[in-house]
């Protein structure tokens, strides 16, 4: 069911205590590792987002065909998992998912002994997977490919007859997500050797453990944005920790420059407003691409010009996020430019905002959440607002604590 949200903010001074969703990135890795370790334990504090839900359903199902909708993480992780699981499997998804490339992962798996075929268009889902024992060996991958491809291969590597040696060529993007996978595999008993751009994983067994998932730092970014645009107040976010696996915990440092201070406490973090110290922002989002939409909308609405680099992976997300940001921020009166591969800039250029601001979400949860706080400045409508279920199902319930939905 399509849901449009018409929003305006009823207060500029907010006080809120928010129970964030659990980390989707950690939840999905934990599910795969739990299954690979044949664990008798349930995972505690699992995310209730779409990505995690469809992964859990697939792992618990006796079916041989899986429709994972728009869940990109599930598509990558399950493709690898099913390739080493004996049987014949079909994995498909939404129309947008059928446009998202998966050839790099499929080629890598086939090189390592898998047998995966394309059912429709070459290089894209849906896939037919003939699961069997994998040979393993050595592969080269461009370091700029999605970290989910690399993580998917790493997690099944202990089951490969020859183990797996991944050599990442060039600059590695989203490195914190690779490090997260390594740390979690180690928690489940695996030994991994990381030497520069080379990852070596020998054949071995995982050890089942009880596991609790921490809250999602990417979801926290929208509350940093909300508080900054409100201008005063405080927000407490449950379940976040300073020493986090999540690269997006860097959001605390980014918003410190913009006027939000983070106090780390035993149960979470307290956000309070301080003075903005930044007159312009330059940042390389190679390691935190999911923060780019939050930061672009925030900086525009606060009148802070920016040069954001390292955004190459945004073109193969739920939508082309660079194009989406340019299109939708223009409706708010901001003229952004894509200058070179993976670079998004705003030099302060303005245009007339739309008379009736309707933000398209492009089947992308982060577009909806990043643009919702613009309601501090304009009456806006968020189209297909239900898309937030992908990572933060109760976002609107939380958001309506500070906003009025018409």
């Amino acid at each position: 069911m399509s849901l449009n949200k018409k929003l305006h903010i009823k207060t500029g001074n907010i006080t809120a205590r928010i129970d964030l969703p659990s980390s989707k990135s950690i939840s999905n890795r934990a599910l795969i590792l739990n299954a690979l370790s044949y664990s008798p334990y349930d995972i505690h504090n699992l995310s209730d987002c779409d990505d995690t839900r469809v992964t859990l359903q697939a792992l618990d199902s006796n079916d041989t065909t899986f429709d994972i909708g728009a869940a990109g993480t599930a598509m990558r992780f399950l493709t690898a998992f099913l390739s080493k699981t004996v049987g014949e499997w079909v994995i498909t998804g939404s129309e947008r998912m059928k446009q998202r490339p998966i050839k790099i992962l499929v080629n890598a798996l086939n090189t390592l002994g898998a047998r995966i075929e394309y059912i429709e268009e070459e290089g894209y889902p849906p896939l037919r997977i003939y699961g069997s024992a994998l040979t393993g060996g050595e592969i080269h991958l461009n370091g700029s490919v999605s970290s989910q491809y690399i993580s998917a291969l790493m997690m099944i590597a202990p089951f490969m007859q020859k183990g797996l040696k991944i050599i990442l060529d060039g600059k590695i993007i989203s490195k914190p997500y690779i490090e997260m996978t390594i740390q979690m595999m180690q928690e489940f008993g695996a030994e991994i050797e990381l030497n520069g751009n080379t990852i070596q994983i020998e054949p071995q067994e995982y050890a089942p453990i009880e596991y609790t998932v921490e809250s999602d730092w990417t979801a926290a970014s929208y509350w940093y944005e909300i508080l900054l645009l409100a201008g005063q107040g405080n927000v407490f976010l449950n379940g976040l920790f300073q020493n986090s696996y999540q690269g997006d915990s860097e959001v605390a440092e980014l918003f410190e420059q913009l006027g939000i201070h983070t106090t780390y406490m035993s149960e979470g973090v307290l956000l309070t407003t301080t003075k903005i110290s930044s007159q312009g922002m330059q940042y390389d989002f190679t390691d935190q691409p999911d923060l780019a939409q939050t930061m672009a909308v925030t900086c525009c609405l606060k009148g802070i010009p920016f040069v954001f680099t390292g955004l190459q992976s945004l073109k193969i997300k739920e939508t082309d996020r660079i194009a989406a940001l340019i299109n939708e921020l223009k409706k708010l009166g901001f003229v952004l430019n894509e200058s070179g591969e993976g670079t998004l800039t705003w030099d302060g250029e303005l245009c007339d905002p739309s008379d009736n601001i309707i933000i398209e979400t492009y089947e992308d949860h982060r577009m909806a959440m990043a643009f919702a706080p613009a309601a501090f400045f304009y009456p806006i409508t968020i189209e297909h607002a239900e898309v937030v279920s992908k990572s933060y199902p109760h976002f609107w319930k939380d958001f309506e604590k500070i906003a009025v939905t018409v």
Side-chain angles (χ1 to χ4, degrees), residues 288-305:
Q288 298 92 16
D290 285 342
L291 296 180
Q293 286 145 297
T294 305
M295 298 305 301
V297 176
T298 301
C299 286
C300 284
L301 291 172
K302 294 299 290 186
I304 300 171

Side-chain angles (χ1 to χ4, degrees), residues 121-322:
E121 186 177 353
E122 176 87 9
Y124 299 87
L127 306 174
R128 179 170 285 109
I129 302 169
Y130 300 91
S132 63
L134 302 181
T135 307
E138 178 178 309
I139 57 169
H140 284 255
L141 290 175
N142 192 310
S144 65
V145 303
S146 169
S147 62
Q148 291 178 9
Y149 295 161
I150 300 165
S151 293
L153 294 169
M154 289 169 58
M155 286 189 289
I156 64 166
F159 289 84
M160 297 179 186
Q161 294 168 359
K162 296 180 181 178
L164 177 63
K165 184 177 185 179
I166 304 175
I167 301 171
L168 299 173
D169 299 321
K171 185 178 181 180
I172 302 172
I173 68 168
S174 301
K175 193 170 184 179
Y177 289 103
I178 298 172
E179 293 171 344
M180 175 192 292
T181 304
I182 291 173
Q183 290 166 333
M184 291 183 65
M185 288 175 65
Q186 289 172 335
E187 284 195 77
F188 278 85
E191 294 183 2
I192 299 109
E193 183 180 337
L194 178 62
N195 186 8
N197 282 22
T198 300
I199 303 166
Q200 179 79 50
I201 303 168
E202 299 295 338
Q204 56 195 292
E205 294 183 357
Y206 286 113
I209 59 170
E210 290 199 56
Y211 198 89
T212 300
V213 179
E214 67 174 322
S215 294
D216 184 20
W217 270 103
T218 319
S221 74
Y222 310 115
W223 289 97
Y224 278 86
E225 177 185 3
I226 288 165
L227 182 57
L228 180 62
L229 297 182
Q232 55 185 324
N234 63 79
V235 175
F236 186 84
L237 302 175
N238 276 322
L240 294 177
F241 306 106
Q242 187 167 12
N243 297 319
S244 172
Y245 286 167
Q246 301 172 66
D248 284 358
S249 61
E250 183 66 19
V251 70
E253 294 299 321
L254 290 172
F255 272 87
E256 189 77 35
Q257 301 173 46
L258 299 179
I260 299 295
H261 179 67
T262 304
T263 303
Y264 295 93
M265 306 173 79
S266 60
E267 295 181 358
V269 300
L270 179 65
L271 313 185
T272 51
T273 54
T274 61
K275 187 177 180 180
I276 294 179
S277 62
S278 177
Q279 302 303 313
M281 179 168 277
Q282 295 188 22
Y283 192 75
D284 182 346
F285 282 93
T286 297
D287 288 342
Q288 298 92 16
D290 285 342
L291 296 180
Q293 286 145 297
T294 305
M295 298 305 301
V297 176
T298 301
C299 286
C300 284
L301 291 172
K302 294 299 290 186
I304 300 171
F306 61 79
V307 178
F308 293 159
T309 58
L311 302 178
Q312 296 89 332
S313 66
L314 293 196
K315 288 185 171 293
I316 60 167
K317 296 286 187 177
E318 284 76 353
T319 184
D320 179 342
R321 287 178 171 170
I322 293 179

